[in-house]
């Protein structure tokens, strides 16, 4: 009757003294047990050749037990007498018995006498205790566990059915299946044949010895030719497979854990390097641009030069700055993602190099924008100032030209006081002419004062040709002072002469009295009509047009005065013709003639319509400017409220979240898409703003929005959308990796928003403490100042390592997630290295290269410090300090 598996397991494994071994089994056990013993004795640099003789003195028995148990046995006796040998063997047998093994019918005398059967029984007992008893698979141990392990590993293989430790192994396929299951690259199982057991067995024995370090303990011929191979020999050999393959699997698991940790660490290092590179590049660009924006020097301070600078500034705003603003957003996203990964994997927060913190980046960016604002204001202010200067300079030149034309030759006339040769009527004429000149001089006093005032204003406004202005103004003032002194001298001389000469022509005097002031009035009116003007609004040009209308209304009275002057001149000519005298041809009281007054009047009447035409043209220009203001205001009044509405909607979305985080993320992505579609409206508004600036339009009463406020609102909207998308993605990543539910996340968000009173997405320390307490987190007693609380300080080190004074929602979420879920620790990684090192306190470079992928092995070798313990060997590496450094508990 065939034996069942249950009956098979119930067989007695203890050694029967009276049992007679089958010779074939005895040979198999001798070879197998000898090879098994040598596989352990070689660790002590020794071996046995004859199993019944080499254990007789007990020395190698003690050595074998020390190697396989890892414990020290009593010091053996070194004598060669029989009593010494028996004592040594008894020490080994006593040690075996101390491990809970019953040595039935095995005595030290029989081992000393070389009893083969007893010696094989002793070795089998040792194998059972130290190689098979500790095997445990699915609550089965020892022989049952080993058999169950073989069955589990070979179950998927065809032609393999392991039910025992003798006949199930005769065809060799079970041995090959065990090797292929763990090391498929060593055996091509599909090429094996069940009817070729010799080939299968020899292949398994050779591969196990060469690649698994399992010595050859069996002979293929004996297994094939024996109807029932020796069970103990097979069990001994298979147990060596178990220890070799199970240890390799354990090492593979340990290597996999270390590989995952190292890969994660290297990825984080790459993210840190990328952040440092992006931060350095952005800061270098900002530091390069700020001096340019703060430079106020211009080689030649003219309108074209400033216009070139304004064009360069606009090109910078539209082409150079936007990519850098996007780079700044990428930098913030990369930093937040890195910190999230570090916290999720139980790593310390990343602290950028000094000067490269996010706060440093934000501070530098704010400085850049402040410099931009100052530079733009300076450009526009200088443009207005230079335009004003050009207008004043042209006005100054026109008045100077007029004055110099009037003053030409007068100095010589005033300096001539020789009246001895003059006739009475000529002297009277000179006297009256001088009186008229004094009147004319007084009338020109206002023009000289205007010239001085305009010159002083040009100096105050730093006109570039101020030296020429001062020189010309000084020349006119000096000449004017000279005119005053010369006039007084000439008047005194004429008064003295007039006392003697009294014959004056009344009619010529009346003509001079009327013609001279009228001519001065015409000079002033002509100067006003030719005066250049600059206006910026419709009201200003309409004011000038109203003043011109008032002037036109006075032309009727001027026409009457003109007719009176002409009539006086005609009367003088009639009297001269009537009395045939040359005196009528030369008015001694004035240099003016009827022709002069007529010509001046004709020019004046021609200037009136020209002035009216110029005013109407300017009125049309200002009307066009007003249309541009209205057009810009209409667009700005649409874009501005749209941006403000979107900002408010996004803030409400985060303060009062609805739906799942994926739905909220989708809503934010829709907002980002809407903002992208709205960008053409911003570009259109930028174009309108440029046209307004190029037209030198500086004020717009039709809208409260300026391009600067809209631009700031637009950038704030884009930054909020991207920041909230990044925050939501990190929240989803935290939820998925930590196993946190949506309800937990909603509770965290609701608590955070409740204490975020000013909706800044940041909590001050006091608000943060209150939020933790509301969630049931114990942060210790509060003594009036939260920063002095020890427990609260520990929490702050996690959520605000840089001590910026506030806690973001992401930092708050990472802390709450970390408090809820455990991750791998430095102790777990240290234990994995200990497995790879074979329980040693150190590990070697060769062991790392054998167990880990090449790049990970070299990474560890470069960073591990030399091991300096008492059991150190050359090339030993300290994996303990390296494991600690991986988790930020010391320097790597």
């Amino acid at each position: 009757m065939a034996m069942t598996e249950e009956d098979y397991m119930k067989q007695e494994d203890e050694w029967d003294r009276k049992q007679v071994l089958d010779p074939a089994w005895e040979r198999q056990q001798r070879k197998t047990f000898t090879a098994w013993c040598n596989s352990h004795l070689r660790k002590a640099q020794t071996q046995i050749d004859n199993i019944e003789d080499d254990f007789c003195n007990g020395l190698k028995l003690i050595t074998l037990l020390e190697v396989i148990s890892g414990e020290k046995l009593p010091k053996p006796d070194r004598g060669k007498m029989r009593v010494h040998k028996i004592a040594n063997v008894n020490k080994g047998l006593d040690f075996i018995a101390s491990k809970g093994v019953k040595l039935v019918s095995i005595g030290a005398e029989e081992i000393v006498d070389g009893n083969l059967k007893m010696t094989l029984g002793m070795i089998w007992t040792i194998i059972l205790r130290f190689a098979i008893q500790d095997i445990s698979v699915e609550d089965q141990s020892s022989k049952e566990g080993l058999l169950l392990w073989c069955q589990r590993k070979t179950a998927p293989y065809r032609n393999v059915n392991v039910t025992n430790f003798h006949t199930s192994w005769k065809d060799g396929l079970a041995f090959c299946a065990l090797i292929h299951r763990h090391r498929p690259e060593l055996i091509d199982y599909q090429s094996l044949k069940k009817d070729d057991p010799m080939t299968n067995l020899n292949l398994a024995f050779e591969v196990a010895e060469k690649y698994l370090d399992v010595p050859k303990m069996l002979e293929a011929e004996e297994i094939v030719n024996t109807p029932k191979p020796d069970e103990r020999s097979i069990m001994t050999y298979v147990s060596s497979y178990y220890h070799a393959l199970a240890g390799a699997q354990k090492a593979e698991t340990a290597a996999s854990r270390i590989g995952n940790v190292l890969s994660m660490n290297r990825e984080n290092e790459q993210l840190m390097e990328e952040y440092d590179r992006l931060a350095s590049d952005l800061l270098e660009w900002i530091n390069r641009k700020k001096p340019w924006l703060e430079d106020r020097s211009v080689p030649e301070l003219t309108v074209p030069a400033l216009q070139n600078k304004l064009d360069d500034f606009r090109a910078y705003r539209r082409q150079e700055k936007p990519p850098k603003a996007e780079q700044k957003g990428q930098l913030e996203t990369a930093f937040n993602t890195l910190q999230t990964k570090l916290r999720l994997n139980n790593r310390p927060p990343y602290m950028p190099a000094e000067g490269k913190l996010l706060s440093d980046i934000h501070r530098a960016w704010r400085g850049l924008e402040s410099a931009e604002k100052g530079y733009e204001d300076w450009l526009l202010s200088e443009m207005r100032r230079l335009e004003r200067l050009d207008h004043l300079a042209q006005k100054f030149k026109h008045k100077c030209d007029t004055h110099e034309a009037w003053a030409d030759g007068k100095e010589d006339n005033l300096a001539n006081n020789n009246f001895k040769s003059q006739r009475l009527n000529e002297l009277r004429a000179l006297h009256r002419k001088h009186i008229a000149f004094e009147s004319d001089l007084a009338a020109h006093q206002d023009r000289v004062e205007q010239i001085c005032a305009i010159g002083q204003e040009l100096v105050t406004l730093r006109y570039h040709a101020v030296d020429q202005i001062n020189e010309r103004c000084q020349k006119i003032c000096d000449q004017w002072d000279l005119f005053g002194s010369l006039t007084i001298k000439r008047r005194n001389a004429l008064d003295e002469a007039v006392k003697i000469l009294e014959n004056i022509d009344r009619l010529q005097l009346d003509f001079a009295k009327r013609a001279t002031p009228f001519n001065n009035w015409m000079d002033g009116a002509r100067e006003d009509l030719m005066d250049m003007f600059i206006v910026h609004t419709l009201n200003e040009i309409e004011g000038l047009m109203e003043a011109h209308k008032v002037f036109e209304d006075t032309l009727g009275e001027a026409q009457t005065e003109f007719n009176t002057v002409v009539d006086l001149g005609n009367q003088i000519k009639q009297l001269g013709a009537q009395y045939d005298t040359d005196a009528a041809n030369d008015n001694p009281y004035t240099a003016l003639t009827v022709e002069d007054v007529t010509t001046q009047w004709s020019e004046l009447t021609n200037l009136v319509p020209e002035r009216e035409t110029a005013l109407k043209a300017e009125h049309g220009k200002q009307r066009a400017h007003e249309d541009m203001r209205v057009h810009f205001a209409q667009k700005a009044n649409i874009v501005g409220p749209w941006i403000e509405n979107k900002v408010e909607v996004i803030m409400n979305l985060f303060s009062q979240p609805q739906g799942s985080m994926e739905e909220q993320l989708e809503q934010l992505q829709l907002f980002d898409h809407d903002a992208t579609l709205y960008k053409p409206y911003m570009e259109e508004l930028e174009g309108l703003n440029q046209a307004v600036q190029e037209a030198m339009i500086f004020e717009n009463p039709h809208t409260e929005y300026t391009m600067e406020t809209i631009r700031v609102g637009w950038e704030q909207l884009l930054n909020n959308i991207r920041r909230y998308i990044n925050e939501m993605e990190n929240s989803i990543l935290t939820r998925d990796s930590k196993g946190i539910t949506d309800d937990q996340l909603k509770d965290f968000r609701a608590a955070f928003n409740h204490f975020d009173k000013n909706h800044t997405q940041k909590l001050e320390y006091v608000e943060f403490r209150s939020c933790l307490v509301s969630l049931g987190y114990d942060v210790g007693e509060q003594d009036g100042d939260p920063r002095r609380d020890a427990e609260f300080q520990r929490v702050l080190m996690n959520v605000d390592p840089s001590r910026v004074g506030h806690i973001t929602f992401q930092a708050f979420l990472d802390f709450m997630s970390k408090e809820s879920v455990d991750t791998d620790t430095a102790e777990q990684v240290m234990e994995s290295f200990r497995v790879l090192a074979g329980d040693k306190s150190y590990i070697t470079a060769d062991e790392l290269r054998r167990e880990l992928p090449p790049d990970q092995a070299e990474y560890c070798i470069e960073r591990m410090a030399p091991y300096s313990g008492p059991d150190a060997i050359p090339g030993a590496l300290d994996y303990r300090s390296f494991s600690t450094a991986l988790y930020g508990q010391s320097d790597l």
Side-chain angles (χ1 to χ4, degrees):
M1 179 181 295
M3 180 184 294
T4 66
E5 183 173 331
E6 181 178 0
D7 295 334
Y8 172 71
M9 288 301 175
K10 290 181 179 179
Q11 292 185 87
E12 181 61 54
D13 285 329
E14 294 182 351
W15 195 262
D16 187 352
R17 178 183 185 88
K18 298 178 180 180
Q19 179 182 356
V20 179
L21 284 178
D22 182 275
W25 288 7
E26 182 178 296
R27 288 193 304 273
Q28 291 177 8
Q29 287 186 15
R30 178 196 293 269
K31 178 176 178 61
T32 301
F33 291 179
T34 299
W36 184 87
C37 291
N38 284 334
S39 70
H40 294 285
L41 288 172
R42 65 183 180 182
K43 299 177 182 177
Q45 290 78 44
T46 186
Q47 66 176 23
I48 61 172
D49 298 320
N50 192 319
I51 196 168
E52 65 267 32
D53 296 333
D54 291 345
F55 286 120
C56 289
N57 58 8
L59 296 178
K60 291 189 176 180
L61 174 61
I62 291 175
T63 300
L64 175 64
L65 291 172
E66 288 181 338
V67 170
I68 62 178
S69 69
E71 301 180 22
K72 295 295 290 184
L73 272 70
K75 187 175 181 181
D77 297 343
R78 290 300 179 181
K80 297 183 179 180
M81 298 177 63
R82 177 178 177 83
V83 64
H84 297 137
K85 296 178 181 180
I86 292 174
N88 290 336
V89 172
N90 274 328
K91 291 177 180 179
L93 296 179
D94 291 343
F95 178 78
I96 296 172
S98 70
K99 298 300 179 180
V101 179
K102 295 181 180 180
L103 296 171
V104 180
S105 303
I106 299 178
E109 293 82 357
E110 292 170 312
I111 302 301
V112 173
D113 293 338
N115 187 316
L116 177 60
K117 179 180 178 183
M118 293 299 106
T119 301
L120 292 175
M122 178 187 67
I123 298 301
W124 172 244
T125 301
I126 293 172
I127 293 172
L128 277 177
R129 173 60 184 83
F130 293 100
I132 299 177
Q133 181 176 315
D134 292 337
I135 296 174
S136 177
V137 179
E138 297 183 7
D139 298 329
Q140 299 293 323
S141 61
S142 190
K143 179 179 178 180
E144 294 84 351
L146 181 61
L147 182 63
L148 181 59
W149 177 77
C150 295
Q151 291 171 341
R152 292 287 185 269
K153 296 299 180 180
T154 61
Y157 292 85
R158 59 182 176 82
N159 297 328
V160 178
N161 183 22
V162 179
T163 60
N164 54 53
F165 286 110
H166 39 78
T167 56
S168 297
W169 304 83
K170 287 192 65 174
D171 57 10
L173 291 178
F175 292 112
C176 293
L178 284 176
I179 296 173
H180 185 269
R181 181 64 180 269
H182 293 85
R183 298 288 298 277
E185 77 278 5
L186 299 179
I187 291 180
D188 181 8
Y189 186 84
Q190 299 301 324
S191 64
L192 302 180
K193 299 178 180 178
K194 185 175 180 63
D195 57 1
D196 190 5
M198 290 293 294
T199 299
N200 299 339
L201 289 166
N202 285 323
L203 175 62
F205 297 161
E206 292 172 1
V207 169
E209 185 172 27
K210 183 176 181 181
Y211 296 102
L212 304 181
D213 198 24
V214 177
K216 184 177 180 182
M217 301 181 185
L218 304 172
E219 292 293 340
E221 294 83 354
E222 292 182 354
I223 295 177
V224 173
N225 296 330
T226 303
K228 181 182 178 183
D230 179 54
E231 182 181 56
R232 293 179 174 85
S233 299
I234 298 295
M235 285 180 64
T236 300
Y237 186 54
V238 171
S239 70
S240 298
Y241 272 49
Y242 172 84
H243 290 293
L245 297 175
Q249 185 176 9
K250 186 177 181 181
E252 180 180 351
T253 301
S256 176
R257 175 186 290 273
I258 293 174
N260 292 335
V261 172
L262 294 177
S263 297
M264 183 192 317
N265 211 59
R266 295 179 68 184
E267 180 181 352
N268 291 338
E269 288 179 352
Q270 292 173 357
L271 288 174
M272 294 175 189
E273 293 171 358
E274 178 65 11
Y275 173 87
D276 187 79
R277 184 188 66 78
L278 288 174
S280 299
D281 179 67
L282 185 60
L283 287 173
E284 187 274 334
W285 177 81
I286 292 174
N287 292 333
R288 191 173 67 252
K289 284 298 173 184
K290 279 192 67 178
W292 174 67
L293 293 171
E294 294 169 352
D295 182 20
R296 301 295 185 266
S297 61
V298 183
E300 184 178 0
L301 199 60
T302 61
V303 173
L306 285 179
Q307 185 63 47
N308 290 336
K309 278 187 169 290
L310 187 60
D311 292 341
D312 293 342
F313 178 74
R314 288 170 179 159
Y316 153 82
R317 265 274 182 81
R318 294 183 179 179
Q319 301 171 12
E320 187 174 359
K321 184 185 177 184
K324 293 300 179 180
E326 183 176 352
Q327 181 179 343
K328 174 175 173 287
Q330 293 173 353
L331 185 69
E332 295 174 349
T333 300
F335 181 84
N336 293 334
T337 301
L338 172 61
Q339 296 293 46
T340 298
K341 288 186 176 181
L342 289 174
R343 293 187 182 98
L344 291 179
N345 293 288
N346 202 23
R347 300 297 192 275
Y350 170 56
M351 289 296 295
E354 185 177 357
K356 297 181 182 179
L357 296 171
L358 275 183
S359 59
D360 297 325
I361 302 296
H362 292 159
R363 184 164 49 253
W365 190 263
R366 289 193 298 270
L368 177 71
E369 292 182 334
S370 176
E372 285 180 8
K373 182 66 169 59
Y375 188 70
E376 185 177 26
D377 291 343
W378 173 74
L379 284 175
L380 296 177
S381 174
E382 285 299 300
M383 289 286 287
R384 290 192 292 268
R385 186 179 67 82
L386 289 180
E387 183 182 20
R388 170 70 175 165
L389 283 176
D390 286 344
H391 167 71
L392 288 175
Q394 294 179 26
K395 189 172 184 178
F396 178 84
K397 180 179 180 302
H398 173 70
K399 288 187 176 293
C400 287
D401 290 342
T402 302
H403 175 78
E404 289 169 353
W406 170 84
D408 183 39
K410 286 185 170 51
E411 182 178 346
D412 295 336
N413 293 334
L414 290 172
N416 183 15
N417 293 325
N418 185 10
F419 309 126
K420 294 181 179 180
S421 60
Q422 298 293 327
R423 293 177 299 174
L424 179 60
N425 60 336
E426 292 176 345
L427 193 59
R428 284 181 173 177
L430 287 175
H431 185 273
R432 293 185 177 180
K433 186 175 182 180
H434 185 75
I435 294 175
F437 173 77
E438 287 182 339
S439 178
D440 193 15
L441 190 67
H444 277 76
Q445 177 69 33
D446 182 65
R447 178 183 296 157
V448 174
E449 291 175 355
Q450 289 180 9
I451 290 174
C452 293
I454 294 173
Q456 183 59 42
E457 188 172 1
L458 288 172
V459 172
T460 302
L461 294 178
R462 306 188 310 278
Y463 184 63
H464 66 278
V466 67
D467 292 339
Q468 294 89 327
I469 296 296
N470 285 333
E471 180 181 356
R472 194 169 186 182
C473 187
Q474 187 63 45
K475 182 178 179 181
I476 290 174
C477 290
D478 292 344
Q479 187 185 51
W480 187 256
D481 292 338
L482 180 60
F483 279 0
S485 61
L486 291 176
T487 299
I488 293 173
K489 292 179 181 180
R490 186 173 178 82
R491 174 67 180 272
N492 293 334
L494 286 173
D495 285 342
E496 186 178 355
V498 165
K499 291 179 181 180
I500 303 169
L501 305 174
E502 298 179 344
N503 192 12
I504 299 289
D505 189 342
R506 182 188 57 80
L507 194 58
Q508 288 182 332
L509 181 58
D510 290 341
F511 174 84
K513 287 182 178 181
R514 284 187 174 273
T516 299
F518 183 71
N519 185 67
N520 290 337
W521 175 85
M522 286 194 295
D523 285 342
R526 183 172 179 274
E527 184 174 339
D528 291 339
L529 290 173
M530 296 178 65
D531 188 21
M532 298 182 65
F533 55 85
I534 179 170
V535 295
H536 295 288
T537 64
L538 274 174
N539 291 336
E540 292 177 354
I541 188 62
E542 288 173 356
L544 290 178
M545 294 178 73
E546 182 66 25
H548 184 72
K549 180 67 171 60
V550 172
F551 172 77
E552 287 181 327
D553 293 339
T554 65
L555 288 180
E557 296 178 0
Q559 181 68 51
T560 302
E561 183 66 15
F562 170 74
N563 294 335
T564 301
V565 172
V566 172
D567 288 342
L568 286 172
N570 292 334
Q571 290 178 27
I572 292 172
K573 289 183 180 181
Q574 290 174 2
L575 290 174
Q578 181 179 355
Y579 297 102
D580 192 22
T581 177
D582 294 332
N585 298 327
D586 184 19
N587 193 330
Y589 308 114
T590 180
L592 292 174
T593 64
V594 174
E595 290 76 18
D596 294 334
V597 175
T598 303
T599 301
Q600 189 85 327
W601 177 258
S602 177
E603 292 177 357
L604 180 65
T605 54
N606 290 333
L607 286 174
V608 172
E610 292 177 3
R611 177 74 170 187
E612 184 176 4
T613 300
L615 290 173
K616 288 182 178 179
E618 182 63 27
H619 186 271
K621 177 182 175 182
Q622 291 304 321
R623 171 56 65 186
H625 286 183
E626 184 68 8
D627 291 341
M628 293 174 67
R629 290 189 186 95
V630 171
H631 191 190
F632 175 88
Q634 290 173 345
K635 296 294 183 180
N637 289 336
I638 294 174
V639 174
W642 185 89
I643 293 175
E644 293 171 350
N645 174 262
K646 291 298 181 182
V647 170
E648 182 179 357
V649 170
I650 292 173
M651 291 299 294
N652 290 336
L653 176 64
F654 257 68
S655 62
Q656 302 174 358
Q658 299 292 331
S660 66
M661 286 192 294
E662 285 77 7
E663 292 173 345
Q664 296 177 43
L665 178 60
E666 182 180 1
Q667 185 65 34
L668 286 171
Q669 290 170 342
L670 287 176
F671 286 146
D672 188 39
H673 180 69
D674 292 343
T676 302
L677 295 178
Y678 209 78
K679 187 175 181 181
Y681 295 97
M682 283 295 298
E683 293 174 348
E684 179 184 5
L685 199 60
E686 286 282 5
L688 292 175
N689 182 63
Q690 179 179 349
V692 167
Q693 288 187 346
E694 289 174 349
M696 305 303 290
I697 301 173
F698 305 107
E699 298 177 352
N700 193 338
H702 303 295
T703 179
E704 63 180 310
Y705 297 101
T706 65
M707 195 62 228
E708 183 63 26
T709 59
I710 291 178
R711 193 181 293 121
V712 169
W714 176 254
E715 292 178 357
Q716 179 187 1
L717 174 63
L718 295 181
N719 288 336
N720 285 349
I721 291 175
R722 291 165 185 164
R723 177 163 62 85
Y724 289 151
I725 287 177
N726 177 253
E727 181 176 324
M728 188 60 65
E729 290 174 342
N730 286 336
S731 297
I732 294 174
L733 176 62
T734 301
R735 181 201 64 188
D736 295 341
S737 62
K738 293 295 186 178
I740 298 174
T741 65
D742 283 345
D743 290 337
Q744 286 177 303
L745 284 173
K746 287 180 179 178
D747 291 340
F748 295 159
R749 168 57 75 180
F752 187 93
N753 288 342
H754 175 75
F755 291 97
D756 183 19
K757 304 298 184 183
N758 52 2
H759 305 294
T760 61
Q761 294 301 307
K762 299 173 184 176
L763 295 181
E764 302 297 330
Y765 285 170
V766 175
E767 295 173 337
F768 176 59
R769 171 189 281 275
S770 301
C771 184
L772 291 180
V773 172
S774 72
L775 292 173
Y777 191 90
D778 184 12
V779 291
E781 296 296 330
Q782 184 172 2
D783 60 356
D785 185 0
R787 294 173 294 179
R788 291 197 294 269
D789 184 274
E791 174 61 16
F792 191 58
Q793 287 295 319
R794 183 192 69 79
V795 175
L796 289 180
M797 284 301 295
N798 287 328
V799 298
D800 187 22
S802 301
R803 289 306 176 101
V804 296
H806 57 257
I807 294 87
T808 64
F809 176 74
Q810 189 60 47
F812 167 77
L813 180 59
D814 290 340
F815 172 76
M816 296 306 298
S817 302
K818 181 179 178 182
E819 291 297 312
S820 303
V821 181
D822 293 329
T823 58
D824 57 349
T825 65
E827 288 74 18
Q828 291 177 321
V829 176
M830 194 181 304
E831 176 63 18
S832 298
F833 273 117
R834 188 188 65 76
V835 171
L836 295 188
D839 293 334
K840 296 192 299 294
S841 300
Y842 60 85
I843 195 168
T844 65
D846 291 338
E847 288 172 333
L848 288 171
R849 292 189 176 102
R850 182 174 67 246
E851 301 296 346
L852 299 178
D855 59 335
Q856 296 177 358
E858 295 305 321
Y859 179 85
C860 293
I861 293 170
E862 290 175 0
R863 288 161 173 77
M864 281 188 182
Y867 176 71
S868 58
D871 54 341
I873 64 172
L877 300 174
D878 188 358
Y879 61 78
R880 295 177 182 273
S881 61
F882 176 77
S883 301
T884 303
L886 281 177
Y887 285 82
Q889 300 173 13
S890 64
D891 293 334
L892 186 60

